[in-house]
Amino acid sequence: MLYCPHCGTSNREGSRFCNNCGEPLPPSSGQKCSRCGHLNPPGVFSCVRCKASLLAPSIDEGLRPEEPSEEPEWLQGLEEAPWEPEEVLEGVEEEPEWLRELGAPADEVRVVAEEEVPGEEETAPWLEALEGLVEEIPLEPREKEGLLVEITGALRVEPIFAIPHRLGEVASPPLAGADQAARFEGVVGQPLAPVATEERARAPMTKVISWLFYLILAAAVVVGILLAGENINLPLTQATADFYETIESLQEGSVALLSHDYDPGTAAEITPQVSAILDHLMRRGAKIVNLSLTPEGQALADRALESVVSDHDGYIQDYINLGYVAGNEVGARFIAEGLGPRLSPYPLGAAVRGLEDVDLIIVLAGSQELLRRWVEQVQAPYKVAMVAGVSAQVDPAARPYYRSGQLEGLLSGLVGAAEYERLNQHPGVALSRMLPQAAAHLVIALFILLGNFAYLVERLGGRG
Amino acid sequence: MRELLGTWVAALLTLMVFSYLISDNPLYRLAEHLFIGSALGYAIVVAIQDVLLPRLFTPLARDPVAYWHLLIPLLLGLLLLAKGRISTAWLGNISVGLLFGVGAALAIGGALVGSLLYQVRDTMLPLLPGKGDGGSAIDNLILVVGTLGSLAYFYFTAGGERETTGLRYGALRLGSVVGKWFIMITLGALFANAVIARISLLVGRLQFLLGDWLGIL
């Protein structure tokens, strides 16, 4: 086995060029020690037997000028007559067509496959298959200035890193790649670019601008809260109107199933929706079954129910909170299949024997997965009427279900809650938050415009 | 007194979270760890109180003969605990296999019947306007062009470097350019909605601080 001194790849015995990097291989599988004649494995810099240096004097001169050593024969040959691709290819009678088409200039890297069988004239089939691929390899431009001047492609420093360090040996560079390794060291040893220094100096300014933005945003929201009223002229969206109409059409004694699938992270948007919906349902005299597919949802449902029920006397027996239903998809399907038995121990169980007795499912989802769970596992297979109240973040995912008719109505975020309060003619917390919300949006929009304007000015200035 | 204490704790934790705006600091980290810890603790309590006790242990303790079938989920649940040791982890594979198998079957079937078929059907829309229905036709056209363009953008198996001409290449190229713009607009809308949701949270927290905590409102 022959090991390439440049990339370390093992090549078949008798190979003249490396299969991997195309560099010429030494004539034997190791380096013969000039002092004792021992054949050393590739990659070592001193003889394993007598510790004599195996490095060429021209490379090693600067390090150990006093130590005279006889170069190996193959190295002497290399130094006297530098390798020329044309000369090396003399053994091949006919150059493959794809190689001729390459027509690479002398200064470009040329990959030559090893000669598999000496004397064989035809190109191997696997090499022919590569023909198209080789043609498409773009040659990288040569560097014209700086430390990497005259270098093309990547620096070949791998052989240096690939050779294991051994105790007691002088860490000298190998025969090939020493120049490129020195350049690599020069590049990584350079001081930081002045651009990075400028960026560091700019960092405190960026921080100050960020804080200024936070302050302006907070001030806008606080002023909005202080000035907020409930008589905001809010335009009404069709999705909210459809939601409202769906509940408005429920008869007294109808059964609505509310799934509180949200957590404190989205409660600021969905709790006002829940309050408005519960208020509407109780005014319509609907029976309400509450449950949650998230652990936090049941506690939030309890709080919402407590706050709304106090405004509706005589409604206490007409709602129930079944709490947390575990199991994700299985949990939703379990409710669809086993709602009757689940309700049977309670007074509401007399009116609701199963999903067929439920007139409307209302999903209050803080994430699109939870909404999809209800649509895919319950609405589509059982064809139950369904509406949804979602966080604004979930709106783009919920909108297609509303458009396809799977959701008969859709409330989106705090705006949806405010619209519903307005339709309900029962102003609440959502309407009072519209002014600060609008103020915050205005500030963000202004900052986006300002940022883009500054970028445009900087770009135009750079051109000028 | 309990409510007052709760309000103060909530207000201080809110301020500790806001302190992240200045820089990452121990107060923010403390609030973050408290939030994660309390959420996890709460979920465990709910799982025990709402699932394990009423649906498993209480019926089994009351009448083991009538509820013998509950021993099966109990055994499967106990097998999951075997995952804690490498030597016995294989025992838990039975429960995990059941969970994944049932979950995947429901999820894939549901996605096909509940989302994919409905959405594909909803994209097959009339592009010619009916009587007084010009707006709807434009709406339908945008939806169809956006859907086809987005699909063309993700069509990676045609139009390579060798195929640079022809009807198929031209149609795919045009479709992918249109689709890229639709995707960018969609991502912009998603981001805008995410900002709206976060601003709602900010308004809620500031309203809480000003009203419930400081009593200004």
Side-chain angles (χ1 to χ4, degrees):
Chain A
M1 197 66 72
L2 271 177
Y3 293 94
C4 174
H6 304 278
C7 68
T9 303
S10 61
N11 294 276
R12 196 176 297 173
E13 198 68 42
S15 302
R16 293 165 62 190
F17 304 99
C18 176
N19 260 335
N20 184 45
C21 64
E23 292 288 341
L25 295 169
S28 67
S29 61
Q31 295 183 34
K32 198 174 180 182
C33 176
S34 56
R35 185 184 289 172
C36 67
H38 180 73
L39 190 64
N40 290 285
V44 294
F45 309 138
S46 55
C47 179
V48 174
R49 185 189 286 170
C50 69
K51 303 293 179 193
S53 172
L54 298 174
L55 297 177
S58 58
I59 300 292
D60 206 26
E61 206 171 11
L63 294 169
R64 292 182 290 101
E66 71 280 359
E67 188 180 340
S69 64
E70 197 181 321
E71 288 177 3
E73 286 175 14
W74 63 270
L75 197 59
Q76 284 174 359
L78 275 180
E79 211 165 70
E80 286 165 7
W83 175 69
E84 295 286 340
E86 289 76 11
E87 289 178 23
V88 174
L89 285 170
E90 274 175 5
V92 183
E93 286 183 20
E94 192 180 334
E95 202 175 2
E97 192 183 338
W98 63 270
L99 202 56
R100 280 205 306 274
E101 285 178 7
L102 264 178
D107 58 343
E108 287 174 357
V109 178
R110 209 163 177 191
V111 179
V112 182
E114 68 169 290
E115 193 181 350
E116 285 289 296
V117 183
E120 193 179 9
E121 294 176 8
E122 288 181 5
T123 312
W126 65 269
L127 206 54
E128 283 177 348
L130 286 173
E131 189 178 336
L133 296 174
V134 174
E135 281 174 358
E136 289 174 5
I137 297 172
L139 292 168
E140 295 184 33
R142 196 175 287 275
E143 291 291 331
K144 289 176 181 165
E145 56 184 18
L147 282 169
L148 300 176
V149 65
E150 290 300 311
I151 293 286
T152 176
L155 281 172
R156 294 183 306 177
V157 292
E158 299 92 341
I160 298 168
F161 292 119
I163 295 169
H165 290 283
R166 296 182 183 184
L167 289 173
E169 280 189 1
V170 180
S172 308
L175 297 174
D179 172 55
Q180 297 203 4
R183 293 197 194 205
F184 177 78
E185 195 178 3
V187 171
V188 297
Q190 271 191 316
L192 284 174
V195 180
T197 317
E198 274 179 25
E199 275 177 5
R200 275 208 301 274
R202 217 188 281 174
M205 181 54 78
T206 312
K207 211 166 231 181
V208 169
I209 291 171
S210 300
W211 290 341
L212 196 66
F213 171 69
Y214 300 146
L215 275 176
I216 293 171
L217 187 66
V221 173
V222 169
V223 169
I225 290 171
L226 295 174
L227 299 177
E230 291 168 347
N231 298 319
I232 295 186
N233 190 18
L234 199 66
L236 202 63
T237 56
Q238 188 59 43
T240 306
D242 288 344
F243 194 116
Y244 181 83
E245 284 304 321
T246 307
I247 292 184
E248 189 67 16
S249 64
L250 291 177
Q251 304 293 318
E252 188 174 350
S254 300
V255 178
L257 190 148
L258 251 82
S259 187
H260 301 256
D261 304 333
Y262 57 100
D263 56 20
T266 47
E269 291 176 279
I270 299 182
T271 301
Q273 292 181 6
V274 177
S275 300
I277 294 164
L278 284 173
D279 178 58
H280 194 189
L281 284 171
M282 288 181 184
R283 280 196 289 108
R284 296 299 305 162
K287 299 177 191 302
I288 308 166
V289 179
N290 298 274
L291 56 90
S292 175
L293 296 185
T294 58
E296 299 90 347
Q298 63 159 354
L300 294 164
D302 275 337
R303 286 179 66 178
L305 283 163
E306 278 172 25
S307 67
V308 179
V309 163
S310 58
D311 295 338
H312 296 78
D313 295 333
Y315 192 78
I316 296 166
Q317 293 301 316
D318 286 342
Y319 77 91
I320 188 170
N321 188 3
L322 291 175
Y324 171 54
V325 178
N328 302 330
E329 279 83 7
V330 182
R333 193 58 80 95
F334 174 70
I335 287 297
E337 297 283 352
L339 184 63
R342 192 82 191 260
L343 279 172
S344 58
Y346 309 103
L348 256 179
V352 188
R353 284 159 299 175
L355 196 66
E356 62 275 12
D357 291 327
V358 173
D359 298 290
L360 180 66
I361 293 178
I362 302 167
V363 182
L364 302 152
S367 75
Q368 65 181 58
E369 288 78 20
L370 290 160
L371 174 66
R372 275 178 53 196
R373 207 163 280 165
W374 275 105
V375 173
E376 292 177 352
Q377 302 302 328
V378 181
Q379 191 280 326
Y382 298 95
K383 310 291 178 201
V384 193
M386 188 177 280
V387 290
V390 297
S391 159
Q393 201 169 352
V394 183
D395 180 81
R399 196 64 56 174
Y401 292 120
Y402 169 66
R403 195 187 159 91
S404 67
Q406 290 172 279
L407 295 177
E408 294 183 11
L410 182 65
L411 288 190
S412 175
L414 199 61
V415 181
E419 291 175 29
Y420 206 90
E421 285 178 0
R422 192 172 157 228
L423 281 168
N424 248 351
Q425 295 180 333
H426 195 284
V429 71
L431 270 171
S432 73
R433 288 180 185 173
M434 280 300 94
L435 190 61
Q437 177 111 357
H441 291 175
L442 193 66
V443 167
I444 291 170
L446 283 174
F447 268 90
I448 289 172
L449 285 175
L450 201 64
N452 277 283
F453 180 71
Y455 174 71
L456 190 69
V457 168
E458 193 178 317
R459 208 170 154 183
L460 289 174
R463 276 183 189 172
Chain B
M1 181 62 192
R2 204 178 70 175
E3 196 173 329
L4 184 70
L5 189 69
T7 305
W8 269 87
V9 170
L12 290 177
L13 284 171
T14 304
L15 292 175
M16 283 158 77
V17 172
F18 278 151
S19 71
Y20 184 76
L21 294 175
I22 299 168
S23 69
D24 196 359
N25 63 79
L27 286 175
Y28 169 76
R29 291 279 168 187
L30 179 65
E32 190 183 34
H33 293 164
L34 274 173
F35 179 73
I36 294 167
S38 58
L40 187 65
Y42 178 77
I44 290 170
V45 170
V46 168
I48 293 170
Q49 191 181 312
D50 279 28
V51 183
L52 291 177
L53 281 178
R55 304 193 57 76
L56 185 66
F57 294 122
T58 308
L60 271 177
R62 197 190 302 147
D63 192 352
V65 179
Y67 294 102
W68 66 269
H69 59 276
L70 293 180
L71 289 172
I72 299 169
L74 176 64
L75 180 67
L76 289 170
L78 289 173
L79 285 177
L80 275 178
L81 297 177
K83 284 272 176 194
R85 282 178 69 89
I86 294 172
S87 58
T88 57
W90 63 273
L91 285 167
N93 291 349
I94 303 163
S95 312
V96 172
L98 187 74
L99 282 172
F100 273 82
V102 174
L106 281 174
I108 294 168
L112 191 67
V113 176
S115 289
L116 196 62
L117 289 182
Y118 274 95
Q119 296 310 314
V120 169
R121 188 199 67 183
D122 208 46
T123 321
M124 298 175 185
L125 298 164
L127 297 178
L128 294 174
K131 283 184 180 175
D133 198 22
S136 176
I138 293 170
D139 196 22
N140 291 351
L141 186 68
I142 291 171
L143 203 146
V144 170
V145 170
T147 305
L148 292 177
S150 302
L151 288 173
Y153 182 76
F154 290 105
Y155 201 87
F156 298 125
T157 52
E161 285 180 13
R162 288 178 184 279
E163 187 182 359
T164 53
T165 53
L167 184 65
R168 192 174 82 139
Y169 173 77
L172 278 172
R173 178 90 180 142
L174 180 68
S176 68
V177 170
V178 172
K180 188 172 80 175
W181 278 98
F182 269 91
I183 290 167
M184 286 199 295
I185 291 167
T186 307
L187 291 176
L190 283 169
F191 181 65
N193 274 279
V195 170
I196 291 172
R198 296 297 175 267
I199 292 297
S200 298
L201 282 179
L202 175 70
V203 173
R205 283 295 84 199
L206 288 180
Q207 208 173 35
F208 165 78
L209 289 176
L210 293 172
D212 296 9
W213 187 45
L214 296 176
I216 295 173
L217 301 177

